[in-house]
Amino acid sequence: MSRKMVGTMIFAAGLSVSAATAVADVSAERGATLAAEHCTACHDVSADGAFKEYPPSFASIAVYRSREQIEGRMLYPPQHASMPQLAFIMKPAEIDDLVAYIVSLERDMGE
């Protein structure tokens, strides 16, 4: 095996350890704090928020959107929406925390 190949394998292993650590550091609790600071002017961010369409409550977002859709909407809101691009306001780790909080609100529609 060449030195370049070994170096690439070590680098790739380091990336996966780094990614696993980053995922472990995600906090729905910190996300709740961020939601209270940045999102309550428009959204109902409570766990028992009423389901509404516009702007949607975080509880309804959790039920109807995947983690990827939630993150995508935060980073790239529709062009004429009043929602800001959170990538200009928050750090990537904060966006991860906010997504984790929203996803934690998912509940059974039969309740």
Side-chain angles (χ1 to χ4, degrees), residues 11-96:
F11 177 74
L15 284 179
S16 31
V17 168
S18 173
T21 302
V23 170
D25 291 340
V26 173
S27 168
E29 186 176 314
R30 284 192 307 261
T33 301
L34 290 164
E37 291 173 17
H38 297 281
C39 307
T40 56
C42 299
H43 296 275
D44 181 344
V45 301
S46 65
D48 59 348
F51 278 51
K52 61 181 190 149
E53 190 173 342
Y54 191 81
S57 67
F58 278 19
S60 63
I61 294 170
V63 169
Y64 294 110
R65 300 284 182 213
S66 69
R67 176 180 293 274
E68 292 79 16
Q69 290 171 325
I70 295 167
E71 184 174 9
R73 186 60 63 102
M74 286 179 184
L75 296 173
Y76 310 104
Q79 188 173 16
H80 298 290
S82 58
M83 184 168 152
Q85 284 185 301
L86 295 182
F88 294 114
I89 299 169
M90 296 180 173
K91 298 174 186 170
E94 292 174 322
I95 291 172
D96 291 343

Side-chain angles (χ1 to χ4, degrees), residues 1-17:
M1 199 177 307
S2 73
R3 288 180 76 187
K4 184 176 181 180
M5 185 180 262
V6 170
T8 302
M9 290 172 61
I10 291 171
F11 177 74
L15 284 179
S16 31
V17 168

